[in-house]
Amino acid sequence: MTEKKKKMLRSREWFDNPHDPGMTALYLERYLNFGLTLAELRGGKPIIGIAQSGSDLSPCNRHHIELAKRVRDGIRDAGGIPFEFPTHPIQETGKRPTAALDRNLLYLGLAELLYSYPLDGVVLTTGCDKTTPGMLMAAATVDIPAIVLSGGPMLDGWYKGQLAGSGTVIWYARQELAAGRINYDEFLAMVASSAPSPGHCNTMGTALSMNSMAEALGMSLPGCASIPAPYRERAQIAYETGRRAVEIVHEDLRPSKIMTRKAFENAIVAASALGASTNCPPHLNAIARHMGVELDVKDWDRVGYNIPLLVNCMPAGAHLGEGFHRAGGVPVVMRELLEAGKLHADALTVNGRSMGENVKEAICEDRDVIRPYDQPLLPEAGFAVLSGTLFESAVMKTSVISAEFRRQYLERPGDPDAFEGTAIVFEGPEDYHARINDPALPIDENSILVIRNTGPVGYPGAAEVVNMLPPDRLVKQGINLLPCIGDGRQSGTSGSPSILNASPEAAVGGGLALLKTGDRIRVDLRRRSADIMISSDELEKRRKAWAPPQLVNQTPWQELQRRYVGQLSTGGCLDFATGYQRIAETFGVPRHNH
């Protein structure tokens, strides 16, 4: 290694600074007490952090505890020194009131760690939904060399001979329970069948979607996102990721060189082709803001709406994670997009090659799972971004608009791709569960279910509650879906074509706050509009009469989040934090601690 390369290492400011022997000795001294040697720490070897997201609180990421051993092997074999450290745990199915509350908390903690400790590069261990964006946001802010190692999906779940996809089976089981076709014990057995192994959701839910986004952005090694957690290839790519982490330090290959506007556009078109989660827009927009890349929620419609659905995975399709991986995973999808002229082929990736170079020879092994670009499942599968008097923006996932939903609501003679209905308004999920089966509530097949005060400020954190089941009496009649609108989010495993992520949210005075049960709503997908069908005078009268809700903070973090968080349309970031960019380069190493 040349002297020039040694000077690139941040860690030398801690461990080998002859201009300040007193502080160097202080830093070195305590890092020797578990067996590291002076020769190692002063030998010019890159210090590579392993941002450990695995813990007993995070079952979707827990196997990273074992994978980190192979990451360590790779780092050592490439001439680096691994420093493993914990990150704030986030588990979508465990954290109350919602895991989204803690994405920004993970981001803050990790950004502080990456900047303030003697790290030259970092391996980001991702898995469950919010760990991926939270870690990429931190890597963008600090901008030291970083690479993503996702944990991979669970093995395919099965129930009575049928594929049972994580999350997706829950919505189906709820319908069956509501209709009286299964009992409580059968309900639990059906849902539990979808989680047969370590790993995150095996559907194209937010976890697999966001780890695929990390790969589409160029921040993971090719093929990383889809390898199931228990496969030997997952440990093998952990080793290769560790090796590569050392190399990107020597190459000074930082996130700012990879996560460019071109990379984000590649990710948007990939999301459409994948049938990815509606959580992808706020998460990718958040990463872009922290990276300093201009990305608007309307770019999801402009760039990605006309992209066809290529991946036949639940909830938009029929297969699960194992099938997606065996078919070729993200590289095959990217090759289809490349050959159709929809990718920026020259976008740089973390292995040092362009996206085009990485995927040009990817081979599809199962055309029922990943379709050719000209033989898609749907010709247009992107996110429709709507606006109107209900909100300034909201997102609708068009790849999950079923034939049944389209016939019922979007094929009216003389008014195609539009529907109208009577609003039934709920003040959060507790109100919904308490009243949805109230016989006095005037719900029928022409109703639109609306849930509000569930956004970043109102919940707090933006809860996955917008996909609401109709009343049991309608389900028993075969009506399994009603149009749903809300200022919260929806699980990426849900197949409901809800209108969600409404911004501004009701809690800060957005249009949903002015809506009343009984109002008529019109949604027009061609015009990308969603409006309350009342006069402008009545709307203004309601606006003047509106008062913000009384919000109760249960923890200090809830209060801080509510005070500084932005809306889902701009990523749900702590808005002040987006002004801190590339801080390792901007500010150099922090001042001494003694």
Short mmCIF file of all heavy atoms in Angstrom, two decimals, residues 265-323:
data_model
loop_
_atom_site.label_atom_id
_atom_site.label_comp_id
_atom_site.label_asym_id
_atom_site.label_seq_id
_atom_site.Cartn_x
_atom_site.Cartn_y
_atom_site.Cartn_z
N GLU A 265 -33.25 7.30 -10.56
CA GLU A 265 -34.19 7.01 -11.65
C GLU A 265 -34.16 5.53 -12.00
O GLU A 265 -35.21 4.94 -12.30
CB GLU A 265 -33.86 7.88 -12.86
CG GLU A 265 -34.17 9.35 -12.63
CD GLU A 265 -34.11 10.19 -13.91
OE1 GLU A 265 -33.73 9.63 -14.97
OE2 GLU A 265 -34.44 11.38 -13.84
N ASN A 266 -32.99 4.90 -11.95
CA ASN A 266 -32.93 3.45 -12.16
C ASN A 266 -33.75 2.72 -11.11
O ASN A 266 -34.45 1.74 -11.42
CB ASN A 266 -31.47 2.97 -12.09
CG ASN A 266 -30.68 3.26 -13.35
OD1 ASN A 266 -31.24 3.65 -14.38
ND2 ASN A 266 -29.38 3.08 -13.28
N ALA A 267 -33.67 3.17 -9.88
CA ALA A 267 -34.42 2.52 -8.81
C ALA A 267 -35.92 2.70 -9.00
O ALA A 267 -36.71 1.77 -8.73
CB ALA A 267 -33.97 3.08 -7.46
N ILE A 268 -36.35 3.85 -9.47
CA ILE A 268 -37.78 4.10 -9.68
C ILE A 268 -38.34 3.15 -10.73
O ILE A 268 -39.39 2.53 -10.53
CB ILE A 268 -38.03 5.57 -10.07
CG1 ILE A 268 -37.82 6.48 -8.86
CG2 ILE A 268 -39.44 5.75 -10.62
CD1 ILE A 268 -37.91 7.96 -9.18
N VAL A 269 -37.64 3.00 -11.86
CA VAL A 269 -38.17 2.12 -12.90
C VAL A 269 -38.10 0.67 -12.44
O VAL A 269 -38.98 -0.14 -12.77
CB VAL A 269 -37.45 2.32 -14.25
CG1 VAL A 269 -37.68 3.73 -14.78
CG2 VAL A 269 -35.96 2.02 -14.17
N ALA A 270 -37.08 0.32 -11.66
CA ALA A 270 -37.00 -1.03 -11.12
C ALA A 270 -38.17 -1.30 -10.18
O ALA A 270 -38.74 -2.40 -10.18
CB ALA A 270 -35.68 -1.23 -10.38
N ALA A 271 -38.54 -0.32 -9.36
CA ALA A 271 -39.66 -0.49 -8.43
C ALA A 271 -40.94 -0.82 -9.17
O ALA A 271 -41.72 -1.69 -8.75
CB ALA A 271 -39.83 0.77 -7.59
N SER A 272 -41.19 -0.15 -10.29
CA SER A 272 -42.39 -0.43 -11.08
C SER A 272 -42.36 -1.84 -11.64
O SER A 272 -43.34 -2.57 -11.57
CB SER A 272 -42.53 0.59 -12.21
OG SER A 272 -42.65 1.91 -11.70
N ALA A 273 -41.23 -2.23 -12.20
CA ALA A 273 -41.10 -3.56 -12.79
C ALA A 273 -41.23 -4.66 -11.75
O ALA A 273 -41.72 -5.75 -12.04
CB ALA A 273 -39.77 -3.67 -13.54
N LEU A 274 -40.78 -4.38 -10.53
CA LEU A 274 -40.84 -5.35 -9.45
C LEU A 274 -42.23 -5.48 -8.83
O LEU A 274 -42.52 -6.47 -8.15
CB LEU A 274 -39.86 -4.96 -8.34
CG LEU A 274 -38.36 -5.11 -8.62
CD1 LEU A 274 -37.56 -4.29 -7.63
CD2 LEU A 274 -37.95 -6.58 -8.54
N GLY A 275 -43.08 -4.48 -9.02
CA GLY A 275 -44.33 -4.41 -8.27
C GLY A 275 -44.03 -4.10 -6.81
O GLY A 275 -44.62 -4.67 -5.89
N ALA A 276 -43.12 -3.14 -6.59
CA ALA A 276 -42.58 -2.88 -5.26
C ALA A 276 -43.58 -2.13 -4.38
O ALA A 276 -44.61 -1.63 -4.83
CB ALA A 276 -41.28 -2.08 -5.38
N SER A 277 -43.20 -2.03 -3.13
CA SER A 277 -44.05 -1.47 -2.08
C SER A 277 -44.27 0.03 -2.23
O SER A 277 -43.38 0.77 -2.68
CB SER A 277 -43.41 -1.75 -0.72
OG SER A 277 -43.98 -0.99 0.31
N THR A 278 -45.44 0.49 -1.75
CA THR A 278 -45.73 1.92 -1.71
C THR A 278 -44.88 2.63 -0.67
O THR A 278 -44.90 3.87 -0.61
CB THR A 278 -47.21 2.17 -1.39
OG1 THR A 278 -47.59 1.37 -0.27
CG2 THR A 278 -48.09 1.85 -2.58
N ASN A 279 -44.15 1.90 0.15
CA ASN A 279 -43.22 2.54 1.07
C ASN A 279 -41.93 2.96 0.37
O ASN A 279 -41.14 3.73 0.95
CB ASN A 279 -42.88 1.59 2.23
CG ASN A 279 -44.03 1.46 3.20
OD1 ASN A 279 -44.56 2.45 3.69
ND2 ASN A 279 -44.44 0.24 3.47
N CYS A 280 -41.70 2.48 -0.83
CA CYS A 280 -40.47 2.86 -1.55
C CYS A 280 -40.38 4.35 -1.85
O CYS A 280 -39.31 4.94 -1.67
CB CYS A 280 -40.33 2.04 -2.83
SG CYS A 280 -39.96 0.30 -2.56
N PRO A 281 -41.46 5.01 -2.32
CA PRO A 281 -41.33 6.45 -2.59
C PRO A 281 -40.87 7.27 -1.40
O PRO A 281 -39.87 8.00 -1.53
CB PRO A 281 -42.73 6.84 -3.08
CG PRO A 281 -43.25 5.60 -3.73
CD PRO A 281 -42.73 4.48 -2.87
N PRO A 282 -41.51 7.19 -0.22
CA PRO A 282 -40.97 8.02 0.87
C PRO A 282 -39.56 7.62 1.29
O PRO A 282 -38.75 8.50 1.63
CB PRO A 282 -41.98 7.83 2.01
CG PRO A 282 -42.78 6.62 1.66
CD PRO A 282 -42.77 6.53 0.18
N HIS A 283 -39.23 6.34 1.27
CA HIS A 283 -37.88 5.94 1.70
C HIS A 283 -36.81 6.39 0.70
O HIS A 283 -35.77 6.92 1.11
CB HIS A 283 -37.82 4.42 1.88
CG HIS A 283 -38.56 3.92 3.07
ND1 HIS A 283 -38.66 4.64 4.24
CD2 HIS A 283 -39.22 2.75 3.29
CE1 HIS A 283 -39.36 3.94 5.12
NE2 HIS A 283 -39.71 2.79 4.57
N LEU A 284 -37.05 6.18 -0.59
CA LEU A 284 -36.05 6.61 -1.56
C LEU A 284 -35.94 8.13 -1.61
O LEU A 284 -34.85 8.68 -1.76
CB LEU A 284 -36.37 6.06 -2.96
CG LEU A 284 -35.37 4.99 -3.43
CD1 LEU A 284 -35.59 3.71 -2.64
CD2 LEU A 284 -35.49 4.73 -4.91
N ASN A 285 -37.08 8.82 -1.46
CA ASN A 285 -37.03 10.28 -1.44
C ASN A 285 -36.22 10.77 -0.24
O ASN A 285 -35.50 11.77 -0.34
CB ASN A 285 -38.44 10.85 -1.40
CG ASN A 285 -39.18 10.69 -2.72
OD1 ASN A 285 -38.67 10.09 -3.66
ND2 ASN A 285 -40.39 11.20 -2.79
N ALA A 286 -36.34 10.06 0.88
CA ALA A 286 -35.56 10.43 2.07
C ALA A 286 -34.07 10.24 1.83
O ALA A 286 -33.25 11.10 2.18
CB ALA A 286 -36.02 9.61 3.27
N ILE A 287 -33.70 9.10 1.25
CA ILE A 287 -32.28 8.85 0.96
C ILE A 287 -31.75 9.92 0.02
O ILE A 287 -30.65 10.47 0.21
CB ILE A 287 -32.10 7.44 0.34
CG1 ILE A 287 -32.55 6.35 1.32
CG2 ILE A 287 -30.63 7.22 -0.05
CD1 ILE A 287 -32.73 4.98 0.67
N ALA A 288 -32.53 10.26 -1.01
CA ALA A 288 -32.10 11.27 -1.98
C ALA A 288 -31.89 12.63 -1.31
O ALA A 288 -30.91 13.34 -1.60
CB ALA A 288 -33.13 11.38 -3.11
N ARG A 289 -32.79 13.00 -0.42
CA ARG A 289 -32.65 14.29 0.26
C ARG A 289 -31.36 14.34 1.07
O ARG A 289 -30.64 15.35 1.06
CB ARG A 289 -33.85 14.56 1.16
CG ARG A 289 -35.12 14.91 0.42
CD ARG A 289 -36.20 15.35 1.40
NE ARG A 289 -35.91 16.65 1.99
CZ ARG A 289 -36.56 17.16 3.02
NH1 ARG A 289 -37.51 16.45 3.62
NH2 ARG A 289 -36.27 18.36 3.48
N HIS A 290 -31.07 13.27 1.78
CA HIS A 290 -29.84 13.25 2.58
C HIS A 290 -28.60 13.17 1.70
O HIS A 290 -27.52 13.59 2.14
CB HIS A 290 -29.89 12.09 3.57
CG HIS A 290 -30.81 12.33 4.73
ND1 HIS A 290 -30.49 13.17 5.76
CD2 HIS A 290 -32.06 11.86 5.00
CE1 HIS A 290 -31.49 13.21 6.63
NE2 HIS A 290 -32.45 12.42 6.20
N MET A 291 -28.76 12.68 0.48
CA MET A 291 -27.64 12.62 -0.46
C MET A 291 -27.49 13.93 -1.22
O MET A 291 -26.48 14.15 -1.89
CB MET A 291 -27.88 11.47 -1.45
CG MET A 291 -26.68 11.05 -2.29
SD MET A 291 -25.41 10.14 -1.36
CE MET A 291 -24.28 11.46 -0.91
N GLY A 292 -28.49 14.80 -1.13
CA GLY A 292 -28.44 16.06 -1.86
C GLY A 292 -28.88 15.95 -3.30
O GLY A 292 -28.55 16.80 -4.14
N VAL A 293 -29.64 14.90 -3.61
CA VAL A 293 -30.15 14.67 -4.97
C VAL A 293 -31.60 15.13 -5.04
O VAL A 293 -32.43 14.75 -4.20
CB VAL A 293 -30.05 13.18 -5.36
CG1 VAL A 293 -30.73 12.91 -6.69
CG2 VAL A 293 -28.59 12.75 -5.42
N GLU A 294 -31.93 15.95 -6.02
CA GLU A 294 -33.30 16.43 -6.20
C GLU A 294 -34.18 15.27 -6.67
O GLU A 294 -33.95 14.70 -7.73
CB GLU A 294 -33.34 17.57 -7.21
CG GLU A 294 -32.67 18.85 -6.75
CD GLU A 294 -33.42 19.53 -5.61
OE1 GLU A 294 -34.66 19.37 -5.56
OE2 GLU A 294 -32.78 20.20 -4.79
N LEU A 295 -35.19 14.93 -5.88
CA LEU A 295 -36.13 13.88 -6.24
C LEU A 295 -37.48 14.25 -5.66
O LEU A 295 -37.61 14.40 -4.44
CB LEU A 295 -35.67 12.53 -5.70
CG LEU A 295 -36.37 11.29 -6.26
CD1 LEU A 295 -36.01 11.09 -7.73
CD2 LEU A 295 -36.00 10.04 -5.47
N ASP A 296 -38.47 14.39 -6.52
CA ASP A 296 -39.80 14.80 -6.11
C ASP A 296 -40.74 13.60 -6.16
O ASP A 296 -40.54 12.68 -6.96
CB ASP A 296 -40.31 15.90 -7.06
CG ASP A 296 -41.60 16.51 -6.59
OD1 ASP A 296 -41.57 17.46 -5.79
OD2 ASP A 296 -42.67 16.02 -7.01
N VAL A 297 -41.76 13.60 -5.32
CA VAL A 297 -42.69 12.47 -5.33
C VAL A 297 -43.33 12.30 -6.71
O VAL A 297 -43.63 11.17 -7.13
CB VAL A 297 -43.76 12.65 -4.23
CG1 VAL A 297 -44.68 13.84 -4.52
CG2 VAL A 297 -44.57 11.37 -4.05
N LYS A 298 -43.51 13.40 -7.45
CA LYS A 298 -44.11 13.28 -8.78
C LYS A 298 -43.18 12.61 -9.78
O LYS A 298 -43.63 12.13 -10.83
CB LYS A 298 -44.55 14.66 -9.27
CG LYS A 298 -45.71 15.24 -8.47
CD LYS A 298 -46.19 16.56 -9.02
CE LYS A 298 -47.38 17.09 -8.21
NZ LYS A 298 -47.84 18.41 -8.70
N ASP A 299 -41.88 12.54 -9.46
CA ASP A 299 -40.95 11.82 -10.33
C ASP A 299 -41.30 10.33 -10.40
O ASP A 299 -41.00 9.66 -11.39
CB ASP A 299 -39.51 11.96 -9.82
CG ASP A 299 -38.94 13.35 -10.07
OD1 ASP A 299 -39.35 13.99 -11.05
OD2 ASP A 299 -38.09 13.80 -9.27
N TRP A 300 -41.93 9.81 -9.35
CA TRP A 300 -42.33 8.40 -9.36
C TRP A 300 -43.36 8.14 -10.44
O TRP A 300 -43.36 7.07 -11.06
CB TRP A 300 -42.84 7.99 -7.99
CG TRP A 300 -41.73 7.85 -7.01
CD1 TRP A 300 -41.12 8.86 -6.32
CD2 TRP A 300 -41.05 6.65 -6.67
NE1 TRP A 300 -40.10 8.35 -5.56
CE2 TRP A 300 -40.04 7.00 -5.74
CE3 TRP A 300 -41.20 5.32 -7.04
CZ2 TRP A 300 -39.18 6.05 -5.20
CZ3 TRP A 300 -40.35 4.37 -6.49
CH2 TRP A 300 -39.36 4.74 -5.60
N ASP A 301 -44.22 9.08 -10.69
CA ASP A 301 -45.21 8.97 -11.75
C ASP A 301 -44.57 9.27 -13.11
O ASP A 301 -44.70 8.51 -14.07
CB ASP A 301 -46.36 9.95 -11.47
CG ASP A 301 -47.63 9.64 -12.25
OD1 ASP A 301 -47.51 9.26 -13.43
OD2 ASP A 301 -48.73 9.79 -11.69
N ARG A 302 -43.81 10.36 -13.15
CA ARG A 302 -43.22 10.79 -14.42
C ARG A 302 -42.21 9.78 -14.96
O ARG A 302 -42.22 9.45 -16.15
CB ARG A 302 -42.52 12.15 -14.22
CG ARG A 302 -41.93 12.73 -15.51
CD ARG A 302 -41.16 14.01 -15.22
NE ARG A 302 -40.01 13.78 -14.37
CZ ARG A 302 -38.85 13.32 -14.81
NH1 ARG A 302 -38.68 13.01 -16.09
NH2 ARG A 302 -37.84 13.15 -13.98
N VAL A 303 -41.36 9.26 -14.10
CA VAL A 303 -40.30 8.35 -14.53
C VAL A 303 -40.77 6.90 -14.60
O VAL A 303 -40.37 6.15 -15.50
CB VAL A 303 -39.08 8.46 -13.58
CG1 VAL A 303 -38.01 7.43 -13.95
CG2 VAL A 303 -38.51 9.86 -13.62
N GLY A 304 -41.64 6.51 -13.66
CA GLY A 304 -41.92 5.09 -13.51
C GLY A 304 -43.30 4.59 -13.87
O GLY A 304 -43.50 3.37 -13.94
N TYR A 305 -44.27 5.48 -14.10
CA TYR A 305 -45.64 5.00 -14.26
C TYR A 305 -45.80 4.07 -15.46
O TYR A 305 -46.48 3.04 -15.38
CB TYR A 305 -46.63 6.17 -14.40
CG TYR A 305 -48.05 5.68 -14.54
CD1 TYR A 305 -48.76 5.24 -13.43
CD2 TYR A 305 -48.67 5.64 -15.79
CE1 TYR A 305 -50.06 4.76 -13.56
CE2 TYR A 305 -49.96 5.17 -15.92
CZ TYR A 305 -50.65 4.74 -14.81
OH TYR A 305 -51.93 4.26 -14.94
N ASN A 306 -45.18 4.38 -16.58
CA ASN A 306 -45.39 3.60 -17.80
C ASN A 306 -44.54 2.33 -17.88
O ASN A 306 -44.56 1.64 -18.90
CB ASN A 306 -45.10 4.48 -19.02
CG ASN A 306 -46.10 5.60 -19.17
OD1 ASN A 306 -47.28 5.41 -18.91
ND2 ASN A 306 -45.65 6.77 -19.58
N ILE A 307 -43.82 2.01 -16.83
CA ILE A 307 -43.00 0.80 -16.82
C ILE A 307 -43.89 -0.41 -16.56
O ILE A 307 -44.73 -0.38 -15.65
CB ILE A 307 -41.91 0.90 -15.74
CG1 ILE A 307 -40.99 2.10 -16.02
CG2 ILE A 307 -41.10 -0.39 -15.66
CD1 ILE A 307 -40.24 2.03 -17.33
N PRO A 308 -43.74 -1.50 -17.31
CA PRO A 308 -44.59 -2.68 -17.11
C PRO A 308 -44.19 -3.50 -15.89
O PRO A 308 -43.06 -3.42 -15.41
CB PRO A 308 -44.37 -3.48 -18.40
CG PRO A 308 -43.00 -3.10 -18.85
CD PRO A 308 -42.84 -1.66 -18.48
N LEU A 309 -45.14 -4.31 -15.41
CA LEU A 309 -44.88 -5.23 -14.31
C LEU A 309 -44.25 -6.49 -14.87
O LEU A 309 -44.86 -7.23 -15.65
CB LEU A 309 -46.19 -5.57 -13.59
CG LEU A 309 -46.09 -6.57 -12.44
CD1 LEU A 309 -45.23 -6.01 -11.31
CD2 LEU A 309 -47.48 -6.94 -11.93
N LEU A 310 -43.02 -6.77 -14.44
CA LEU A 310 -42.27 -7.92 -14.95
C LEU A 310 -42.17 -9.06 -13.95
O LEU A 310 -41.96 -10.21 -14.35
CB LEU A 310 -40.85 -7.50 -15.35
CG LEU A 310 -40.72 -6.36 -16.38
CD1 LEU A 310 -39.25 -6.14 -16.71
CD2 LEU A 310 -41.53 -6.66 -17.63
N VAL A 311 -42.32 -8.77 -12.66
CA VAL A 311 -42.09 -9.77 -11.63
C VAL A 311 -43.41 -10.30 -11.08
O VAL A 311 -44.24 -9.54 -10.59
CB VAL A 311 -41.23 -9.19 -10.48
CG1 VAL A 311 -41.06 -10.21 -9.37
CG2 VAL A 311 -39.86 -8.77 -11.03
N ASN A 312 -43.57 -11.59 -11.17
CA ASN A 312 -44.81 -12.27 -10.78
C ASN A 312 -44.70 -12.76 -9.33
O ASN A 312 -44.67 -13.95 -9.06
CB ASN A 312 -45.06 -13.44 -11.74
CG ASN A 312 -46.39 -14.11 -11.50
OD1 ASN A 312 -47.26 -13.59 -10.81
ND2 ASN A 312 -46.55 -15.30 -12.07
N CYS A 313 -44.60 -11.80 -8.41
CA CYS A 313 -44.47 -12.12 -6.98
C CYS A 313 -45.59 -11.47 -6.19
O CYS A 313 -46.03 -10.36 -6.52
CB CYS A 313 -43.12 -11.64 -6.44
SG CYS A 313 -41.76 -12.77 -6.76
N MET A 314 -46.02 -12.15 -5.14
CA MET A 314 -47.01 -11.56 -4.25
C MET A 314 -46.47 -10.25 -3.66
O MET A 314 -45.29 -10.14 -3.40
CB MET A 314 -47.31 -12.53 -3.10
CG MET A 314 -47.92 -13.84 -3.51
SD MET A 314 -48.24 -14.86 -2.04
CE MET A 314 -48.62 -16.44 -2.83
N PRO A 315 -47.34 -9.24 -3.47
CA PRO A 315 -48.80 -9.30 -3.59
C PRO A 315 -49.34 -9.01 -4.99
O PRO A 315 -50.52 -9.23 -5.23
CB PRO A 315 -49.26 -8.22 -2.62
CG PRO A 315 -48.17 -7.20 -2.68
CD PRO A 315 -46.90 -7.99 -2.81
N ALA A 316 -48.50 -8.54 -5.91
CA ALA A 316 -49.00 -8.23 -7.25
C ALA A 316 -49.09 -9.47 -8.13
O ALA A 316 -49.76 -9.46 -9.16
CB ALA A 316 -48.11 -7.19 -7.92
N GLY A 317 -48.41 -10.56 -7.73
CA GLY A 317 -48.39 -11.77 -8.53
C GLY A 317 -48.59 -13.02 -7.70
O GLY A 317 -49.27 -13.00 -6.67
N ALA A 318 -47.96 -14.13 -8.13
CA ALA A 318 -48.27 -15.43 -7.54
C ALA A 318 -47.11 -16.09 -6.79
O ALA A 318 -47.34 -16.96 -5.96
CB ALA A 318 -48.74 -16.38 -8.64
N HIS A 319 -45.86 -15.71 -7.07
CA HIS A 319 -44.71 -16.40 -6.50
C HIS A 319 -44.16 -15.68 -5.28
O HIS A 319 -44.65 -14.60 -4.90
CB HIS A 319 -43.62 -16.55 -7.56
CG HIS A 319 -44.02 -17.43 -8.72
ND1 HIS A 319 -43.92 -18.80 -8.67
CD2 HIS A 319 -44.51 -17.13 -9.94
CE1 HIS A 319 -44.34 -19.31 -9.82
NE2 HIS A 319 -44.71 -18.32 -10.61
N LEU A 320 -43.12 -16.27 -4.69
CA LEU A 320 -42.47 -15.70 -3.51
C LEU A 320 -40.96 -15.58 -3.73
O LEU A 320 -40.47 -15.79 -4.83
CB LEU A 320 -42.78 -16.57 -2.28
CG LEU A 320 -44.24 -16.61 -1.83
CD1 LEU A 320 -44.44 -17.60 -0.69
CD2 LEU A 320 -44.72 -15.22 -1.41
N GLY A 321 -40.24 -15.24 -2.65
CA GLY A 321 -38.83 -14.89 -2.75
C GLY A 321 -37.93 -15.95 -3.33
O GLY A 321 -37.03 -15.64 -4.12
N GLU A 322 -38.14 -17.20 -2.97
CA GLU A 322 -37.28 -18.26 -3.52
C GLU A 322 -37.42 -18.33 -5.03
O GLU A 322 -36.42 -18.46 -5.76
CB GLU A 322 -37.62 -19.61 -2.89
CG GLU A 322 -37.03 -19.83 -1.52
CD GLU A 322 -37.15 -21.29 -1.09
OE1 GLU A 322 -36.22 -22.08 -1.37
OE2 GLU A 322 -38.19 -21.65 -0.48
N GLY A 323 -38.64 -18.27 -5.52
CA GLY A 323 -38.86 -18.30 -6.96
C GLY A 323 -38.23 -17.12 -7.65
O GLY A 323 -37.64 -17.25 -8.74
#
